[in-house]
Amino acid sequence: MTINILHLYPAEMNLYGDHGNVLALKKRCEWRGIKTKIINYEPGDEIPDNVDIIFGGGGQDSSQSKIEKDLQKIAPKLKEMIENNTPALVICGIYQLFGNYFETNTGQKIQGAGILDLYTKGEDERLIGNVVINTPEFGEVVGYENHSGQTFLADESIAFGTVISGAGNNGKDFTEGIKYHNCIGTYLHGPILPKNPRVADFLIRKALENKTKKFQKLEPLNDALERKAHKSAAKRPR
């Protein structure tokens, strides 16, 4: 069995170590004897039908402008996959563009994919620093944020977590990210998955369940190093 991981726009959207999330998924699969295939998607490519996990990272406003038209082209297929419970992790720039729109601090409006019910407005102040959030499904999650965009969820949307330390979506309402079906949107860089293995294993388990059509219990791994990294990140001052 092979888990196919679709990496969206790795050339343009790969800030702050986000590629490390793909490597973490790959290694955690390999340690369990599960094969993986990384499919790098760039503008103009075709998205295969056998995608098991979707990943997209962060990028500058200029990078988001470069991929805007292509993302509009593939948005229906991505939306169909998300609605069919394909697990996904989208961070910062791609998180913003999975929403309805992103209005930069210069007034430019970048159209989003409309997959997640949210919008983002750029501000002059950047929200930067270490973040600790509490999530209902994964407990404490840690990461690092660096974004000028402030994201606001629709009333019916469910946040990924509640901010304990840091700014989160907008620095105002104590929400961080979004959880929609098996898709997680978040501002947490770092990368997030090596320090939060429960989140990584959620994506892997859901991918396996979609392929096998039955519940999957993953083989436990020795996460001592991951737990140490998590604790260290949680103690860092903002």
Side-chain angles (χ1 to χ4, degrees), residues 8-9 12-16 18 55-65 67-68 71 89-102 110-113 116 118 120 126 146-149 151 185-189:
L8 296 171
Y9 309 110
E12 293 288 348
M13 310 297 288
N14 184 28
L15 287 179
Y16 312 120
D18 285 341
F55 174 75
Q60 298 176 349
D61 293 356
S62 59
S63 296
Q64 294 187 46
S65 296
I67 67 170
E68 178 185 10
L71 182 61
L89 175 64
V90 290
I91 296 173
C92 198
I94 295 293
Y95 166 44
Q96 293 171 347
L97 290 184
F98 261 45
N100 298 317
Y101 66 87
F102 170 46
I110 302 173
Q111 191 65 35
L116 304 174
L118 56 86
T120 302
R126 296 194 69 85
N146 186 344
H147 55 103
S148 61
T151 294
T186 180
Y187 275 114
L188 301 190
H189 296 285

mmCIF file of all heavy atoms in Angstrom, residues 8-9 12-16 18 55-65 67-68 71 89-102 110-113 116 118 120 126 146-149 151 185-189:
data_model
loop_
_atom_site.group_PDB
_atom_site.id
_atom_site.type_symbol
_atom_site.label_atom_id
_atom_site.label_comp_id
_atom_site.label_asym_id
_atom_site.label_seq_id
_atom_site.Cartn_x
_atom_site.Cartn_y
_atom_site.Cartn_z
ATOM 1 N N LEU A 8 1.351 20.966 -2.707
ATOM 2 C CA LEU A 8 0.939 22.067 -3.558
ATOM 3 C C LEU A 8 1.989 23.180 -3.607
ATOM 4 O O LEU A 8 2.411 23.688 -2.562
ATOM 5 C CB LEU A 8 -0.386 22.656 -3.058
ATOM 6 C CG LEU A 8 -1.612 21.741 -3.098
ATOM 7 C CD1 LEU A 8 -2.783 22.400 -2.370
ATOM 8 C CD2 LEU A 8 -1.994 21.408 -4.537
ATOM 9 N N TYR A 9 2.415 23.528 -4.795
ATOM 10 C CA TYR A 9 3.279 24.674 -5.065
ATOM 11 C C TYR A 9 4.530 24.719 -4.179
ATOM 12 O O TYR A 9 4.795 25.725 -3.502
ATOM 13 C CB TYR A 9 2.485 25.975 -4.910
ATOM 14 C CG TYR A 9 1.185 26.002 -5.667
ATOM 15 C CD1 TYR A 9 -0.041 25.960 -4.992
ATOM 16 C CD2 TYR A 9 1.159 26.051 -7.059
ATOM 17 C CE1 TYR A 9 -1.245 25.973 -5.697
ATOM 18 C CE2 TYR A 9 -0.044 26.068 -7.762
ATOM 19 C CZ TYR A 9 -1.238 26.025 -7.070
ATOM 20 O OH TYR A 9 -2.431 26.043 -7.758
ATOM 21 N N GLU A 12 6.989 27.879 -4.709
ATOM 22 C CA GLU A 12 6.568 29.215 -4.290
ATOM 23 C C GLU A 12 6.121 29.284 -2.836
ATOM 24 O O GLU A 12 6.277 30.311 -2.183
ATOM 25 C CB GLU A 12 5.412 29.706 -5.186
ATOM 26 C CG GLU A 12 5.789 29.954 -6.631
ATOM 27 C CD GLU A 12 6.665 31.195 -6.813
ATOM 28 O OE1 GLU A 12 6.789 31.987 -5.869
ATOM 29 O OE2 GLU A 12 7.228 31.355 -7.914
ATOM 30 N N MET A 13 5.547 28.195 -2.330
ATOM 31 C CA MET A 13 4.924 28.209 -1.004
ATOM 32 C C MET A 13 5.663 27.237 -0.082
ATOM 33 O O MET A 13 5.229 26.112 0.162
ATOM 34 C CB MET A 13 3.445 27.842 -1.117
ATOM 35 C CG MET A 13 2.681 28.629 -2.176
ATOM 36 S SD MET A 13 2.620 30.407 -1.850
ATOM 37 C CE MET A 13 1.470 30.446 -0.480
ATOM 38 N N ASN A 14 6.821 27.705 0.422
ATOM 39 C CA ASN A 14 7.636 26.825 1.256
ATOM 40 C C ASN A 14 8.484 27.653 2.216
ATOM 41 O O ASN A 14 9.705 27.569 2.220
ATOM 42 C CB ASN A 14 8.528 25.937 0.382
ATOM 43 C CG ASN A 14 9.316 24.929 1.209
ATOM 44 O OD1 ASN A 14 8.888 24.510 2.274
ATOM 45 N ND2 ASN A 14 10.488 24.559 0.720
ATOM 46 N N LEU A 15 7.825 28.479 3.030
ATOM 47 C CA LEU A 15 8.533 29.304 4.004
ATOM 48 C C LEU A 15 8.650 28.599 5.359
ATOM 49 O O LEU A 15 7.847 27.735 5.700
ATOM 50 C CB LEU A 15 7.797 30.630 4.206
ATOM 51 C CG LEU A 15 7.878 31.661 3.079
ATOM 52 C CD1 LEU A 15 7.057 32.886 3.454
ATOM 53 C CD2 LEU A 15 9.315 32.064 2.789
ATOM 54 N N TYR A 16 9.665 29.003 6.125
ATOM 55 C CA TYR A 16 9.782 28.636 7.539
ATOM 56 C C TYR A 16 9.763 27.114 7.776
ATOM 57 O O TYR A 16 9.160 26.634 8.735
ATOM 58 C CB TYR A 16 8.674 29.303 8.357
ATOM 59 C CG TYR A 16 8.517 30.770 8.077
ATOM 60 C CD1 TYR A 16 7.330 31.294 7.586
ATOM 61 C CD2 TYR A 16 9.585 31.655 8.288
ATOM 62 C CE1 TYR A 16 7.194 32.639 7.306
ATOM 63 C CE2 TYR A 16 9.452 33.005 8.005
ATOM 64 C CZ TYR A 16 8.262 33.486 7.524
ATOM 65 O OH TYR A 16 8.127 34.823 7.245
ATOM 66 N N ASP A 18 8.361 24.638 6.069
ATOM 67 C CA ASP A 18 7.119 23.893 5.847
ATOM 68 C C ASP A 18 7.341 22.559 5.139
ATOM 69 O O ASP A 18 6.578 21.608 5.332
ATOM 70 C CB ASP A 18 6.132 24.744 5.037
ATOM 71 C CG ASP A 18 5.504 25.849 5.875
ATOM 72 O OD1 ASP A 18 5.538 25.734 7.109
ATOM 73 O OD2 ASP A 18 4.996 26.822 5.293
ATOM 74 N N PHE A 55 -1.061 18.635 1.055
ATOM 75 C CA PHE A 55 -0.284 19.556 1.889
ATOM 76 C C PHE A 55 0.035 20.819 1.106
ATOM 77 O O PHE A 55 0.366 20.763 -0.081
ATOM 78 C CB PHE A 55 1.027 18.931 2.363
ATOM 79 C CG PHE A 55 1.900 19.925 3.089
ATOM 80 C CD1 PHE A 55 1.582 20.308 4.383
ATOM 81 C CD2 PHE A 55 2.976 20.527 2.459
ATOM 82 C CE1 PHE A 55 2.337 21.269 5.042
ATOM 83 C CE2 PHE A 55 3.742 21.484 3.107
ATOM 84 C CZ PHE A 55 3.424 21.848 4.401
ATOM 85 N N GLY A 56 -0.056 21.964 1.786
ATOM 86 C CA GLY A 56 0.367 23.237 1.202
ATOM 87 C C GLY A 56 0.947 24.126 2.270
ATOM 88 O O GLY A 56 0.436 24.179 3.397
ATOM 89 N N GLY A 57 2.027 24.840 1.943
ATOM 90 C CA GLY A 57 2.726 25.651 2.931
ATOM 91 C C GLY A 57 2.527 27.139 2.763
ATOM 92 O O GLY A 57 1.618 27.598 2.070
ATOM 93 N N GLY A 58 3.413 27.908 3.396
ATOM 94 C CA GLY A 58 3.303 29.356 3.410
ATOM 95 C C GLY A 58 4.117 30.012 2.317
ATOM 96 O O GLY A 58 5.030 29.413 1.746
ATOM 97 N N GLY A 59 3.783 31.263 2.016
ATOM 98 C CA GLY A 59 4.514 32.021 1.016
ATOM 99 C C GLY A 59 4.211 33.501 1.140
ATOM 100 O O GLY A 59 3.252 33.910 1.795
ATOM 101 N N GLN A 60 5.025 34.313 0.509
ATOM 102 C CA GLN A 60 4.830 35.753 0.539
ATOM 103 C C GLN A 60 3.598 36.148 -0.277
ATOM 104 O O GLN A 60 3.094 35.367 -1.078
ATOM 105 C CB GLN A 60 6.078 36.448 -0.011
ATOM 106 C CG GLN A 60 7.332 36.182 0.811
ATOM 107 C CD GLN A 60 8.570 36.807 0.186
ATOM 108 O OE1 GLN A 60 8.534 37.266 -0.946
ATOM 109 N NE2 GLN A 60 9.659 36.822 0.934
ATOM 110 N N ASP A 61 3.135 37.385 -0.075
ATOM 111 C CA ASP A 61 1.970 37.864 -0.828
ATOM 112 C C ASP A 61 2.216 37.768 -2.333
ATOM 113 O O ASP A 61 1.311 37.420 -3.099
ATOM 114 C CB ASP A 61 1.662 39.316 -0.461
ATOM 115 C CG ASP A 61 1.182 39.467 0.980
ATOM 116 O OD1 ASP A 61 1.030 38.435 1.655
ATOM 117 O OD2 ASP A 61 0.967 40.614 1.414
ATOM 118 N N SER A 62 3.438 38.072 -2.759
ATOM 119 C CA SER A 62 3.760 38.005 -4.184
ATOM 120 C C SER A 62 3.648 36.579 -4.713
ATOM 121 O O SER A 62 3.215 36.358 -5.848
ATOM 122 C CB SER A 62 5.165 38.552 -4.439
ATOM 123 O OG SER A 62 6.138 37.819 -3.700
ATOM 124 N N SER A 63 4.023 35.611 -3.883
ATOM 125 C CA SER A 63 3.918 34.202 -4.290
ATOM 126 C C SER A 63 2.452 33.788 -4.401
ATOM 127 O O SER A 63 2.079 33.024 -5.298
ATOM 128 C CB SER A 63 4.644 33.312 -3.284
ATOM 129 O OG SER A 63 6.030 33.589 -3.263
ATOM 130 N N GLN A 64 1.627 34.299 -3.490
ATOM 131 C CA GLN A 64 0.200 33.979 -3.557
ATOM 132 C C GLN A 64 -0.414 34.530 -4.840
ATOM 133 O O GLN A 64 -1.264 33.884 -5.462
ATOM 134 C CB GLN A 64 -0.517 34.536 -2.327
ATOM 135 C CG GLN A 64 -0.079 33.861 -1.028
ATOM 136 C CD GLN A 64 -0.910 34.311 0.157
ATOM 137 O OE1 GLN A 64 -2.130 34.370 0.081
ATOM 138 N NE2 GLN A 64 -0.253 34.619 1.268
ATOM 139 N N SER A 65 0.043 35.720 -5.253
ATOM 140 C CA SER A 65 -0.465 36.297 -6.497
ATOM 141 C C SER A 65 -0.089 35.432 -7.695
ATOM 142 O O SER A 65 -0.865 35.277 -8.642
ATOM 143 C CB SER A 65 0.090 37.713 -6.689
ATOM 144 O OG SER A 65 -0.362 38.577 -5.671
ATOM 145 N N ILE A 67 0.247 32.218 -7.886
ATOM 146 C CA ILE A 67 -0.469 30.943 -8.001
ATOM 147 C C ILE A 67 -1.989 31.133 -8.035
ATOM 148 O O ILE A 67 -2.724 30.153 -8.171
ATOM 149 C CB ILE A 67 -0.096 29.987 -6.854
ATOM 150 C CG1 ILE A 67 -0.617 30.524 -5.507
ATOM 151 C CG2 ILE A 67 1.401 29.745 -6.813
ATOM 152 C CD1 ILE A 67 -0.489 29.522 -4.370
ATOM 153 N N GLU A 68 -2.455 32.379 -7.903
ATOM 154 C CA GLU A 68 -3.893 32.641 -7.783
ATOM 155 C C GLU A 68 -4.695 32.021 -8.928
ATOM 156 O O GLU A 68 -5.673 31.297 -8.699
ATOM 157 C CB GLU A 68 -4.156 34.144 -7.734
ATOM 158 C CG GLU A 68 -5.638 34.502 -7.660
ATOM 159 C CD GLU A 68 -5.878 35.996 -7.729
ATOM 160 O OE1 GLU A 68 -4.924 36.753 -8.023
ATOM 161 O OE2 GLU A 68 -7.024 36.415 -7.492
ATOM 162 N N LEU A 71 -4.634 28.190 -8.944
ATOM 163 C CA LEU A 71 -5.431 27.640 -7.851
ATOM 164 C C LEU A 71 -6.913 27.690 -8.182
ATOM 165 O O LEU A 71 -7.659 26.759 -7.848
ATOM 166 C CB LEU A 71 -5.145 28.401 -6.556
ATOM 167 C CG LEU A 71 -5.878 27.900 -5.307
ATOM 168 C CD1 LEU A 71 -5.491 26.460 -4.988
ATOM 169 C CD2 LEU A 71 -5.580 28.800 -4.112
ATOM 170 N N LEU A 89 -3.403 19.224 5.250
ATOM 171 C CA LEU A 89 -2.799 20.209 6.143
ATOM 172 C C LEU A 89 -2.377 21.387 5.287
ATOM 173 O O LEU A 89 -1.530 21.240 4.393
ATOM 174 C CB LEU A 89 -1.586 19.628 6.868
ATOM 175 C CG LEU A 89 -0.791 20.610 7.743
ATOM 176 C CD1 LEU A 89 -1.642 21.131 8.897
ATOM 177 C CD2 LEU A 89 0.485 19.957 8.272
ATOM 178 N N VAL A 90 -2.985 22.554 5.518
ATOM 179 C CA VAL A 90 -2.643 23.757 4.756
ATOM 180 C C VAL A 90 -2.217 24.836 5.739
ATOM 181 O O VAL A 90 -2.892 25.106 6.730
ATOM 182 C CB VAL A 90 -3.814 24.221 3.869
ATOM 183 C CG1 VAL A 90 -4.018 23.243 2.729
ATOM 184 C CG2 VAL A 90 -5.111 24.372 4.638
ATOM 185 N N ILE A 91 -1.071 25.455 5.449
ATOM 186 C CA ILE A 91 -0.424 26.351 6.395
ATOM 187 C C ILE A 91 -0.276 27.748 5.807
ATOM 188 O O ILE A 91 0.053 27.907 4.637
ATOM 189 C CB ILE A 91 0.959 25.792 6.794
ATOM 190 C CG1 ILE A 91 0.793 24.461 7.537
ATOM 191 C CG2 ILE A 91 1.736 26.777 7.652
ATOM 192 C CD1 ILE A 91 2.086 23.745 7.824
ATOM 193 N N CYS A 92 -0.544 28.744 6.608
ATOM 194 C CA CYS A 92 -0.291 30.150 6.326
ATOM 195 C C CYS A 92 -0.813 30.563 4.953
ATOM 196 O O CYS A 92 -2.014 30.746 4.786
ATOM 197 C CB CYS A 92 1.205 30.454 6.471
ATOM 198 S SG CYS A 92 1.579 32.215 6.654
ATOM 199 N N GLY A 93 0.041 30.718 3.944
ATOM 200 C CA GLY A 93 -0.400 31.212 2.652
ATOM 201 C C GLY A 93 -1.455 30.351 1.987
ATOM 202 O O GLY A 93 -2.474 30.862 1.495
ATOM 203 N N ILE A 94 -1.246 29.041 1.950
ATOM 204 C CA ILE A 94 -2.239 28.152 1.345
ATOM 205 C C ILE A 94 -3.488 28.079 2.226
ATOM 206 O O ILE A 94 -4.613 27.976 1.713
ATOM 207 C CB ILE A 94 -1.660 26.753 1.090
ATOM 208 C CG1 ILE A 94 -0.544 26.824 0.042
ATOM 209 C CG2 ILE A 94 -2.737 25.785 0.610
ATOM 210 C CD1 ILE A 94 -1.014 27.205 -1.340
ATOM 211 N N TYR A 95 -3.324 28.145 3.529
ATOM 212 C CA TYR A 95 -4.472 28.238 4.436
ATOM 213 C C TYR A 95 -5.325 29.439 4.064
ATOM 214 O O TYR A 95 -6.552 29.338 3.911
ATOM 215 C CB TYR A 95 -3.956 28.332 5.875
ATOM 216 C CG TYR A 95 -4.956 28.759 6.930
ATOM 217 C CD1 TYR A 95 -6.242 28.246 6.975
ATOM 218 C CD2 TYR A 95 -4.589 29.674 7.922
ATOM 219 C CE1 TYR A 95 -7.149 28.635 7.960
ATOM 220 C CE2 TYR A 95 -5.471 30.055 8.915
ATOM 221 C CZ TYR A 95 -6.755 29.537 8.928
ATOM 222 O OH TYR A 95 -7.641 29.915 9.903
ATOM 223 N N GLN A 96 -4.701 30.594 3.886
ATOM 224 C CA GLN A 96 -5.436 31.802 3.506
ATOM 225 C C GLN A 96 -6.142 31.616 2.163
ATOM 226 O O GLN A 96 -7.314 31.983 2.001
ATOM 227 C CB GLN A 96 -4.471 32.984 3.430
ATOM 228 C CG GLN A 96 -3.886 33.396 4.776
ATOM 229 C CD GLN A 96 -2.772 34.415 4.647
ATOM 230 O OE1 GLN A 96 -2.259 34.648 3.547
ATOM 231 N NE2 GLN A 96 -2.382 35.020 5.761
ATOM 232 N N LEU A 97 -5.438 31.034 1.195
ATOM 233 C CA LEU A 97 -5.994 30.900 -0.156
ATOM 234 C C LEU A 97 -7.006 29.767 -0.284
ATOM 235 O O LEU A 97 -7.718 29.699 -1.284
ATOM 236 C CB LEU A 97 -4.865 30.707 -1.167
ATOM 237 C CG LEU A 97 -3.986 31.932 -1.414
ATOM 238 C CD1 LEU A 97 -2.973 31.650 -2.502
ATOM 239 C CD2 LEU A 97 -4.825 33.152 -1.775
ATOM 240 N N PHE A 98 -7.093 28.888 0.681
ATOM 241 C CA PHE A 98 -8.173 27.899 0.706
ATOM 242 C C PHE A 98 -9.477 28.559 1.147
ATOM 243 O O PHE A 98 -10.542 27.963 1.046
ATOM 244 C CB PHE A 98 -7.828 26.734 1.637
ATOM 245 C CG PHE A 98 -7.289 25.522 0.917
ATOM 246 C CD1 PHE A 98 -6.334 25.652 -0.076
ATOM 247 C CD2 PHE A 98 -7.730 24.253 1.241
ATOM 248 C CE1 PHE A 98 -5.833 24.532 -0.735
ATOM 249 C CE2 PHE A 98 -7.252 23.130 0.584
ATOM 250 C CZ PHE A 98 -6.298 23.264 -0.411
ATOM 251 N N GLY A 99 -9.385 29.785 1.667
ATOM 252 C CA GLY A 99 -10.567 30.529 2.077
ATOM 253 C C GLY A 99 -11.208 31.245 0.903
ATOM 254 O O GLY A 99 -10.950 30.943 -0.265
ATOM 255 N N ASN A 100 -12.047 32.230 1.212
ATOM 256 C CA ASN A 100 -12.794 32.930 0.166
ATOM 257 C C ASN A 100 -11.965 33.992 -0.543
ATOM 258 O O ASN A 100 -12.043 34.133 -1.763
ATOM 259 C CB ASN A 100 -14.058 33.543 0.758
ATOM 260 C CG ASN A 100 -14.993 32.484 1.321
ATOM 261 O OD1 ASN A 100 -15.202 31.447 0.700
ATOM 262 N ND2 ASN A 100 -15.551 32.728 2.495
ATOM 263 N N TYR A 101 -11.176 34.746 0.226
ATOM 264 C CA TYR A 101 -10.290 35.724 -0.396
ATOM 265 C C TYR A 101 -9.257 36.199 0.618
ATOM 266 O O TYR A 101 -9.419 36.029 1.831
ATOM 267 C CB TYR A 101 -11.067 36.929 -0.953
ATOM 268 C CG TYR A 101 -11.748 37.789 0.098
ATOM 269 C CD1 TYR A 101 -11.079 38.832 0.741
ATOM 270 C CD2 TYR A 101 -13.078 37.564 0.452
ATOM 271 C CE1 TYR A 101 -11.705 39.608 1.706
ATOM 272 C CE2 TYR A 101 -13.716 38.340 1.405
ATOM 273 C CZ TYR A 101 -13.018 39.358 2.028
ATOM 274 O OH TYR A 101 -13.637 40.117 2.994
ATOM 275 N N PHE A 102 -8.186 36.804 0.077
ATOM 276 C CA PHE A 102 -7.161 37.429 0.900
ATOM 277 C C PHE A 102 -6.944 38.836 0.360
ATOM 278 O O PHE A 102 -6.542 39.025 -0.784
ATOM 279 C CB PHE A 102 -5.856 36.629 0.845
ATOM 280 C CG PHE A 102 -4.675 37.331 1.473
ATOM 281 C CD1 PHE A 102 -4.798 37.946 2.706
ATOM 282 C CD2 PHE A 102 -3.441 37.360 0.845
ATOM 283 C CE1 PHE A 102 -3.717 38.584 3.303
ATOM 284 C CE2 PHE A 102 -2.352 37.991 1.427
ATOM 285 C CZ PHE A 102 -2.488 38.603 2.657
ATOM 286 N N ILE A 110 -6.870 38.981 -3.513
ATOM 287 C CA ILE A 110 -6.499 37.712 -4.143
ATOM 288 C C ILE A 110 -7.636 36.730 -3.898
ATOM 289 O O ILE A 110 -7.987 36.442 -2.757
ATOM 290 C CB ILE A 110 -5.180 37.173 -3.559
ATOM 291 C CG1 ILE A 110 -4.066 38.207 -3.759
ATOM 292 C CG2 ILE A 110 -4.814 35.844 -4.203
ATOM 293 C CD1 ILE A 110 -2.764 37.832 -3.075
ATOM 294 N N GLN A 111 -8.203 36.245 -4.961
ATOM 295 C CA GLN A 111 -9.335 35.324 -4.850
ATOM 296 C C GLN A 111 -8.878 33.974 -4.319
ATOM 297 O O GLN A 111 -7.877 33.432 -4.763
ATOM 298 C CB GLN A 111 -10.015 35.140 -6.206
ATOM 299 C CG GLN A 111 -11.351 34.420 -6.152
ATOM 300 C CD GLN A 111 -12.403 35.209 -5.396
ATOM 301 O OE1 GLN A 111 -12.421 36.443 -5.452
ATOM 302 N NE2 GLN A 111 -13.276 34.528 -4.690
ATOM 303 N N GLY A 112 -9.629 33.447 -3.365
ATOM 304 C CA GLY A 112 -9.304 32.151 -2.799
ATOM 305 C C GLY A 112 -10.041 31.016 -3.479
ATOM 306 O O GLY A 112 -10.844 31.226 -4.390
ATOM 307 N N ALA A 113 -9.779 29.806 -3.008
ATOM 308 C CA ALA A 113 -10.383 28.617 -3.607
ATOM 309 C C ALA A 113 -11.800 28.369 -3.111
ATOM 310 O O ALA A 113 -12.533 27.578 -3.702
ATOM 311 C CB ALA A 113 -9.508 27.391 -3.313
ATOM 312 N N LEU A 116 -12.589 26.609 2.319
ATOM 313 C CA LEU A 116 -12.806 26.870 3.739
ATOM 314 C C LEU A 116 -13.556 28.187 3.881
ATOM 315 O O LEU A 116 -13.242 29.161 3.185
ATOM 316 C CB LEU A 116 -11.469 26.938 4.481
ATOM 317 C CG LEU A 116 -10.567 25.707 4.338
ATOM 318 C CD1 LEU A 116 -9.214 25.958 5.006
ATOM 319 C CD2 LEU A 116 -11.236 24.471 4.922
ATOM 320 N N LEU A 118 -13.806 31.229 5.265
ATOM 321 C CA LEU A 118 -13.058 32.236 6.005
ATOM 322 C C LEU A 118 -12.551 33.280 5.013
ATOM 323 O O LEU A 118 -12.554 33.070 3.798
ATOM 324 C CB LEU A 118 -11.893 31.595 6.769
ATOM 325 C CG LEU A 118 -10.887 30.769 5.961
ATOM 326 C CD1 LEU A 118 -9.774 31.625 5.350
ATOM 327 C CD2 LEU A 118 -10.286 29.665 6.822
ATOM 328 N N THR A 120 -9.349 36.627 4.799
ATOM 329 C CA THR A 120 -8.157 37.174 5.431
ATOM 330 C C THR A 120 -7.907 38.594 4.947
ATOM 331 O O THR A 120 -8.039 38.884 3.755
ATOM 332 C CB THR A 120 -6.927 36.308 5.102
ATOM 333 O OG1 THR A 120 -7.164 34.967 5.532
ATOM 334 C CG2 THR A 120 -5.687 36.836 5.787
ATOM 335 N N ARG A 126 2.766 42.705 11.844
ATOM 336 C CA ARG A 126 2.921 41.264 11.693
ATOM 337 C C ARG A 126 2.719 40.582 13.046
ATOM 338 O O ARG A 126 3.131 41.105 14.100
ATOM 339 C CB ARG A 126 4.296 40.896 11.148
ATOM 340 C CG ARG A 126 4.574 41.412 9.750
ATOM 341 C CD ARG A 126 5.799 40.739 9.145
ATOM 342 N NE ARG A 126 5.553 39.333 8.850
ATOM 343 C CZ ARG A 126 4.981 38.901 7.721
ATOM 344 N NH1 ARG A 126 4.589 39.769 6.793
ATOM 345 N NH2 ARG A 126 4.803 37.612 7.510
ATOM 346 N N ASN A 146 4.151 33.714 11.791
ATOM 347 C CA ASN A 146 4.741 34.927 11.230
ATOM 348 C C ASN A 146 3.865 35.352 10.063
ATOM 349 O O ASN A 146 4.055 34.917 8.929
ATOM 350 C CB ASN A 146 6.179 34.678 10.769
ATOM 351 C CG ASN A 146 6.882 35.952 10.319
ATOM 352 O OD1 ASN A 146 6.244 36.970 10.063
ATOM 353 N ND2 ASN A 146 8.196 35.898 10.214
ATOM 354 N N HIS A 147 2.858 36.175 10.336
ATOM 355 C CA HIS A 147 1.899 36.537 9.301
ATOM 356 C C HIS A 147 1.340 37.934 9.552
ATOM 357 O O HIS A 147 1.097 38.335 10.687
ATOM 358 C CB HIS A 147 0.749 35.524 9.233
ATOM 359 C CG HIS A 147 0.020 35.306 10.522
ATOM 360 N ND1 HIS A 147 -1.213 35.847 10.788
ATOM 361 C CD2 HIS A 147 0.357 34.591 11.632
ATOM 362 C CE1 HIS A 147 -1.619 35.469 11.995
ATOM 363 N NE2 HIS A 147 -0.679 34.718 12.534
ATOM 364 N N SER A 148 1.140 38.668 8.451
ATOM 365 C CA SER A 148 0.484 39.976 8.536
ATOM 366 C C SER A 148 -1.007 39.847 8.256
ATOM 367 O O SER A 148 -1.777 40.744 8.593
ATOM 368 C CB SER A 148 1.114 40.969 7.561
ATOM 369 O OG SER A 148 0.981 40.506 6.228
ATOM 370 N N GLY A 149 -1.412 38.750 7.625
ATOM 371 C CA GLY A 149 -2.819 38.526 7.369
ATOM 372 C C GLY A 149 -3.562 38.155 8.643
ATOM 373 O O GLY A 149 -3.053 37.390 9.468
ATOM 374 N N THR A 151 -7.017 36.426 9.859
ATOM 375 C CA THR A 151 -8.047 35.549 9.305
ATOM 376 C C THR A 151 -9.256 35.489 10.226
ATOM 377 O O THR A 151 -9.120 35.376 11.451
ATOM 378 C CB THR A 151 -7.472 34.135 9.090
ATOM 379 O OG1 THR A 151 -6.463 34.204 8.070
ATOM 380 C CG2 THR A 151 -8.539 33.152 8.654
ATOM 381 N N GLY A 185 -6.411 23.711 8.682
ATOM 382 C CA GLY A 185 -5.757 24.933 8.244
ATOM 383 C C GLY A 185 -5.172 25.627 9.461
ATOM 384 O O GLY A 185 -5.816 25.684 10.519
ATOM 385 N N THR A 186 -3.953 26.163 9.341
ATOM 386 C CA THR A 186 -3.291 26.732 10.510
ATOM 387 C C THR A 186 -2.206 27.722 10.098
ATOM 388 O O THR A 186 -1.698 27.677 8.976
ATOM 389 C CB THR A 186 -2.660 25.619 11.378
ATOM 390 O OG1 THR A 186 -2.009 26.194 12.510
ATOM 391 C CG2 THR A 186 -1.658 24.794 10.588
ATOM 392 N N TYR A 187 -1.843 28.600 11.018
ATOM 393 C CA TYR A 187 -0.708 29.499 10.819
ATOM 394 C C TYR A 187 0.579 28.929 11.419
ATOM 395 O O TYR A 187 1.623 29.578 11.359
ATOM 396 C CB TYR A 187 -0.995 30.857 11.462
ATOM 397 C CG TYR A 187 -1.773 31.793 10.568
ATOM 398 C CD1 TYR A 187 -3.068 32.188 10.894
ATOM 399 C CD2 TYR A 187 -1.216 32.294 9.396
ATOM 400 C CE1 TYR A 187 -3.783 33.051 10.076
ATOM 401 C CE2 TYR A 187 -1.924 33.151 8.578
ATOM 402 C CZ TYR A 187 -3.204 33.528 8.911
ATOM 403 O OH TYR A 187 -3.906 34.380 8.089
ATOM 404 N N LEU A 188 0.530 27.753 11.978
ATOM 405 C CA LEU A 188 1.679 27.225 12.714
ATOM 406 C C LEU A 188 2.730 26.627 11.787
ATOM 407 O O LEU A 188 2.542 25.572 11.193
ATOM 408 C CB LEU A 188 1.224 26.176 13.725
ATOM 409 C CG LEU A 188 0.214 26.655 14.776
ATOM 410 C CD1 LEU A 188 0.038 25.603 15.860
ATOM 411 C CD2 LEU A 188 0.638 27.972 15.396
ATOM 412 N N HIS A 189 3.856 27.352 11.708
ATOM 413 C CA HIS A 189 5.029 26.856 10.990
ATOM 414 C C HIS A 189 5.885 26.054 11.969
ATOM 415 O O HIS A 189 5.454 25.696 13.052
ATOM 416 C CB HIS A 189 5.853 28.038 10.459
ATOM 417 C CG HIS A 189 5.147 28.869 9.447
ATOM 418 N ND1 HIS A 189 4.961 28.469 8.140
ATOM 419 C CD2 HIS A 189 4.603 30.108 9.542
ATOM 420 C CE1 HIS A 189 4.350 29.424 7.472
ATOM 421 N NE2 HIS A 189 4.108 30.426 8.293
#
